[in-house]
Amino acid sequence: MSAPLISLQGLSKSFQGNDAVKFVDLTVDKGEFYGILGPSGCGKTTLLKMIAGLEEPSAGRVIIDGLDMSPVPANRRPVNTVFQSYAIFPHMSLEDNISYGLKLKGIGSGELKKRVLDMLDVVDLKGLERRWPDQLSGGQLQRVALARALIMQPKVVLLDEPLAALDAKLRETMKYELVKIQKEIGITFIMVTHDQQEALSMMDKIAVMNEGRIQQVDQPNLLYEKPKNLFVANFIGSANCLMGRVAKVEKGRTHVMLADLNQEIIAFSCENFKVSDRVQVIIRPEKLTFQDIELPSNHEKTINRVSGKLLEIIYHGGVSTFRVGFKNKNLKPLIVSQLNDDQQTKDGYRIGSHVEVCWRLDAATLVPVI
Amino acid sequence: MLSDRFRAKNENSRKVFLVTFLPPTIWLILFLFAPVLIIVVYSFSQKVGLINIEVNWVMDNYWRAADPLYLKIFAKSFYIAGTTTFLCLVISFPVVLAITKIRQNWKLIILVLLMLPFWINLLIRTYALIAVLRTRGFLNSGFEWIAAHLGLRFEPVQFLYNDTAIIIGLVYIHLPFMILPIYAGLEGFDETLKQAAEDLGSSSMQVYRHIVFPLIRPSVFAGCMLVFIPALGSYLTPELLGGTDGQLIANVIERQFKHANDWPFGAALSMVLIYVTCGVIAVWLLVAKRKKS
Ligand SMILES: Nc1ncnc2c1ncn2[C@@H]1O[C@H](COP(=O)(O)OP(=O)(O)OP(=O)(O)O)[C@@H](O)[C@H]1O
Ligand SMILES: [Mg+2]
């Protein structure tokens, strides 16, 4: 196990008493496509700027490749940034923008030319080198910003919502482009985004952030399957949440009493809960079903079932979502998501009819309530 | 039917045109083009007798203006206006940088303070400057007071009635014209451009040299024009603060019109000043353009 490339230790920043970033500890390995995901205003940009040295931390340290970066100013850190607004120099041609950093380093014109051409090839901007920034499209500007950072061959490239300013279609293409370039070049990327789809599909590892704190760090699939708290569950995809109390703990299984429904359910759980702990039961909409899929297996219960009334069906094309309400009108309706691949889902349900909603024991995640 | 509507619409837009464009056009013709045209005509005329002017399209006045005596005054006017512009530029930059750095609610106060002198008549401001600079003025009294406390002998310094006094006066009067455009250019400056340059390895000096200065060059250019052109044609300041040889071209022109009563020659000098000013702007613009590409 080699040492991490970047480690943040208790990194904090407050602006006139307002904490923007609070005690962030993170480690990023070499070659990783690392994501920082969080809602607008949660401190993502501030965190990136502290790594780049453009913002002074109030407390904590940034360590890159074993070196404490505290005394190193931004212009001498082995880090380059793709800014949220791209920050392309408007008075320089595309070529001058890309080569700006290398010229400062005093790279000779022969090598400079070669490296710029190589980089134009990587970001697919060949033939545009004489263009001015106001003659480029948004997607092209974004690639100039990326090229300007990559050509410096830094240890880390920081990307601040690089796709946010692009239209939906272009965003989709650039998503794969970015991942491809990162894997090709092998430079570590730390990318900030508030778009969970973007994060899940692009990144090797994601740190979810809220109100300046890291909520959970995991691989995308674990983040989705095993959220550590309600914020993460709700922020990544959508989630149903039921409140309950632990009634009984067996090996690997936890019985939860749902007081609102006056019913007990069972969940697999790797966390150690104690009887009468308050917990939230989190279930993804697509893990809920109306079909009774209980298998007759040696007397053990393998499925949970709650009943309710079908309130609404929303057709989305490939899938439909169903809202199922409970007798207790104060409870939030369950959201059930089903593939529209069989006739039954289309015809079998009438709004207002009584339905049974089922889920397998391993489908739910238990989250402690603090 | 259709053509009727078209005509009505046309009629309407003609009225709009007349109402919005005619008054300023008439104003320009009456008060700018006509006087300049009269001056042009005068500059090719000749004075006959005491008050009569004969329009006979001669170049005599221009040949007279080419006399070394007047060329020297032109050169001096340029030198003083140029020095004034340069000093305003050098003083403005730190001032503007300081203003952009202070807190928002203080900015407004400082900007109002900068504009405040405009509310006072130029003549009064110039006399106030005389009160400060003369041999028994505030500045000399201040020095004297300090010298007395240090036990030194003090001879009052002659600040007034020389070229330095003219430059001090012109800088004092024109400084806001330099500060305001540069402030406008720097205030809206995109901070992330500076950060991007720093991120790519620029020192803070290089950030200013490579990014900030080139991008606010139009504002600086506007400021220089706003200072240089009025300074070149300044009349009151050299008249009141300059010495006996402290005549700038505007003073000479004024004398031709008033004391010498030689309108054709005054007109010729005025035209030369206009040509030269336009020439300077043209050259400046060309240089600025060349630098960009
Ligand atoms: N220079 C500053 N002065 C004062 N407060 C600031 C400053 N910069 C950021 N903040 C505050 O810090 C918090 C975090 O800001 P930050 O820009 O890091 O958010 P973000 O996660 O990048 O948001 P977004 O997704 O909208 O870009 C915000 O509440 C913001 O108002
Ligand atoms: Mg941001």
Side-chain angles (χ1 to χ4, degrees):
Chain A
M1 194 65 207
S2 60
L5 180 66
I6 291 194
S7 91
L8 311 182
Q9 300 178 350
L11 207 57
S12 309
K13 175 78 191 178
S14 66
F15 293 107
Q16 296 111 35
N18 294 327
D19 296 339
V21 174
K22 302 171 198 163
F23 301 104
V24 167
D25 294 304
L26 281 181
T27 56
V28 180
D29 287 326
K30 205 169 158 120
E32 237 173 2
F33 199 134
Y34 198 96
I36 294 171
L37 175 64
S40 190
C42 73
K44 305 179 300 276
T45 299
T46 310
L47 186 64
L48 274 200
K49 283 193 175 162
M50 286 193 283
I51 300 175
L54 296 168
E55 197 85 73
E56 183 109 8
S58 313
R61 295 193 300 170
V62 176
I63 291 166
I64 300 177
D65 224 2
L67 288 174
D68 186 356
M69 287 289 130
S70 311
V72 183
N75 55 359
R76 283 196 271 117
R77 292 196 184 188
V79 170
N80 287 103
T81 308
V82 176
F83 287 84
Q84 197 162 1
S85 52
Y86 307 153
I88 303 296
F89 306 132
H91 59 302
M92 296 183 191
S93 69
L94 188 153
E95 191 176 12
D96 290 340
N97 260 287
I98 294 179
S99 60
Y100 180 74
L102 288 185
K103 275 187 198 148
L104 288 176
K105 269 191 177 172
I107 305 283
S109 64
E111 198 199 333
L112 191 84
K113 198 123 213 137
K114 193 181 151 297
R115 274 169 76 173
V116 170
L117 279 178
D118 286 350
M119 192 42 67
L120 287 170
D121 211 20
V122 170
V123 296
D124 199 17
L125 285 174
K126 264 221 160 101
L128 302 182
E129 49 267 48
R130 299 246 52 88
R131 291 269 189 102
W132 291 85
D134 56 6
Q135 300 169 324
L136 295 172
S137 72
Q140 288 167 336
L141 285 176
Q142 201 265 334
R143 278 179 282 185
V144 176
L146 182 65
R148 195 174 64 176
L150 285 177
I151 203 168
M152 303 299 289
Q153 301 177 342
K155 289 187 174 137
V156 190
V157 173
L158 306 175
L159 302 103
D160 193 354
E161 310 215 15
L163 306 177
L166 305 180
D167 66 65
K169 196 121 182 227
L170 193 55
R171 189 153 57 220
E172 210 53 34
T173 354
M174 281 310 297
K175 225 152 98 170
Y176 299 113
E177 198 89 336
L178 266 182
V179 175
K180 203 183 96 200
I181 290 172
Q182 195 267 336
K183 295 293 170 232
E184 254 172 40
I185 297 194
I187 294 180
T188 311
F189 275 26
I190 300 180
M191 176 170 146
V192 151
T193 175
H194 63 255
D195 182 330
Q196 42 106 5
Q197 281 306 333
E198 223 169 85
L200 291 179
S201 59
M202 295 171 79
M203 287 143 189
D204 299 326
K205 208 182 221 180
I206 301 172
V208 181
M209 218 175 152
N210 188 32
E211 293 179 350
R213 276 183 209 282
I214 299 293
Q215 305 289 324
Q216 184 173 356
V217 180
D218 252 320
Q219 289 159 13
N221 59 329
L222 288 179
L223 220 46
Y224 186 77
E225 305 282 345
K226 298 268 170 253
K228 283 223 175 77
N229 58 37
L230 191 60
F231 174 81
V232 176
N234 273 325
F235 195 70
I236 312 243
S238 54
N240 294 295
C241 173
L242 298 165
M243 299 293 287
R245 244 174 226 287
V246 175
K248 194 164 89 180
V249 183
E250 296 173 343
K251 50 167 179 38
R253 287 178 167 212
T254 309
H255 295 244
V256 178
M257 183 66 195
L258 303 175
D260 299 321
L261 298 177
N262 196 18
Q263 184 182 347
E264 202 173 279
I265 58 117
I266 302 172
F268 287 156
S269 166
C270 40
E271 291 214 36
N272 292 320
F273 290 107
K274 290 195 293 294
V275 172
S276 90
D277 277 354
R278 273 162 57 74
V279 290
Q280 283 164 332
V281 183
I282 290 165
I283 320 152
R284 298 288 179 192
E286 71 276 10
K287 302 254 163 117
L288 291 175
T289 160
F290 297 120
Q291 277 125 22
D292 209 335
I293 43 166
E294 183 154 21
L295 304 168
S297 71
N298 46 349
H299 308 306
E300 270 194 50
K301 198 178 170 197
T302 60
I303 196 152
N304 294 301
R305 183 180 294 126
V306 295
S307 54
K309 200 168 86 174
L310 191 55
L311 297 178
E312 197 179 2
I313 305 175
I314 304 154
Y315 180 72
H316 296 292
V319 293
S320 288
T321 53
F322 301 75
R323 296 200 317 132
V324 177
F326 299 108
K327 276 213 193 73
N328 182 348
K329 291 281 186 303
N330 295 330
L331 283 181
K332 246 179 95 177
L334 287 179
I335 310 287
V336 182
S337 164
Q338 300 271 282
L339 284 176
N340 286 331
D341 54 356
D342 49 9
Q343 214 48 28
Q344 198 188 355
T345 32
K346 214 172 132 208
D347 306 330
Y349 301 100
R350 292 275 163 272
I351 288 177
S353 64
H354 174 92
V355 287
E356 298 262 299
V357 179
C358 314
W359 69 92
R360 291 160 50 126
L361 299 195
D362 58 357
T365 311
L366 295 187
V367 169
V369 178
I370 347 121
Chain B
M1 174 72 191
L2 201 82
S3 67
D4 269 4
R5 264 200 7 227
F6 182 73
R7 198 176 298 151
K9 207 172 161 198
N10 223 11
E11 193 67 23
N12 223 353
S13 58
R14 226 175 60 205
K15 269 184 204 147
V16 170
F17 173 79
L18 288 181
V19 168
T20 53
F21 285 84
L22 220 48
T25 313
I26 291 172
W27 198 88
L28 271 180
I29 289 174
L30 267 183
F31 297 111
L32 183 67
F33 295 137
V36 170
L37 200 68
I38 293 171
I39 297 287
V40 171
V41 172
Y42 274 164
S43 71
F44 292 105
S45 308
Q46 245 173 343
K47 198 178 112 173
V48 284
L50 262 184
I51 41 168
N52 289 328
I53 291 168
E54 192 189 334
V55 182
N56 52 3
W57 304 108
V58 288
M59 291 290 287
D60 291 13
N61 296 311
Y62 285 98
W63 299 135
R64 235 180 103 194
D67 185 284
L69 176 71
Y70 297 110
L71 289 185
K72 233 154 103 190
I73 291 174
F74 264 110
K76 185 172 171 186
S77 302
F78 266 87
Y79 163 74
I80 286 189
T83 313
T84 302
T85 310
F86 177 75
L87 285 177
C88 281
L89 194 60
V90 170
I91 296 169
S92 293
F93 252 105
V95 174
V96 171
L97 281 180
I99 297 176
T100 53
K101 292 255 162 16
I102 59 176
R103 279 235 298 280
Q104 196 62 41
N105 34 0
W106 281 99
K107 267 179 202 167
L108 195 68
I109 296 173
I110 300 276
L111 286 175
V112 168
L113 285 179
L114 275 173
M115 301 294 294
L116 210 56
F118 288 124
W119 297 1
I120 301 161
N121 184 285
L122 175 62
L123 193 62
I124 296 172
R125 273 188 287 158
T126 310
Y127 273 112
L129 202 57
I130 291 175
V132 172
L133 295 181
R134 66 182 173 187
T135 39
R136 302 225 40 84
F138 299 122
L139 203 56
N140 272 317
S141 321
F143 284 148
E144 199 173 357
W145 185 80
I146 293 169
H149 274 257
L150 294 175
L152 299 170
R153 252 176 54 84
F154 178 73
E155 281 293 320
V157 185
Q158 182 64 44
F159 289 116
L160 280 178
Y161 313 121
N162 50 38
D163 293 351
T164 318
I166 300 177
I167 292 173
I168 292 174
L170 288 177
V171 168
Y172 161 67
I173 289 160
H174 292 104
L175 202 53
F177 294 106
M178 186 66 92
I179 289 180
L180 290 177
I182 296 181
Y183 170 77
L186 267 181
E187 177 57 24
F189 200 85
D190 186 357
E191 279 300 305
T192 56
L193 289 182
K194 288 197 221 167
Q195 292 181 344
E198 204 185 332
D199 187 69
L200 290 165
S202 295
S203 64
S204 46
M205 260 329 277
Q206 284 168 325
V207 171
Y208 275 96
R209 274 225 325 269
H210 300 152
I211 311 297
V212 180
F213 290 148
L215 282 174
I216 63 161
R217 192 177 289 146
S219 312
V220 173
F221 179 74
C224 288
M225 284 295 130
L226 284 176
V227 172
F228 184 78
I229 293 170
L232 189 61
S234 65
Y235 161 72
L236 195 66
T237 315
E239 183 79 11
L240 293 180
L241 300 180
T244 42
D245 65 336
Q247 301 290 322
L248 296 193
I249 192 64
N251 306 90
V252 175
I253 292 172
E254 186 255 6
R255 259 205 323 247
Q256 297 311 317
F257 279 103
K258 276 174 83 182
H259 303 291
N261 199 20
D262 191 349
W263 282 41
F265 185 50
L269 285 176
S270 302
M271 286 318 295
V272 171
L273 183 59
I274 291 175
Y275 295 144
V276 169
T277 309
C278 291
V280 169
I281 296 174
V283 169
W284 207 326
L285 279 175
L286 275 179
V287 170
K289 211 167 205 172
R290 170 92 40 86
K291 243 180 196 160
K292 202 200 161 199
S293 53

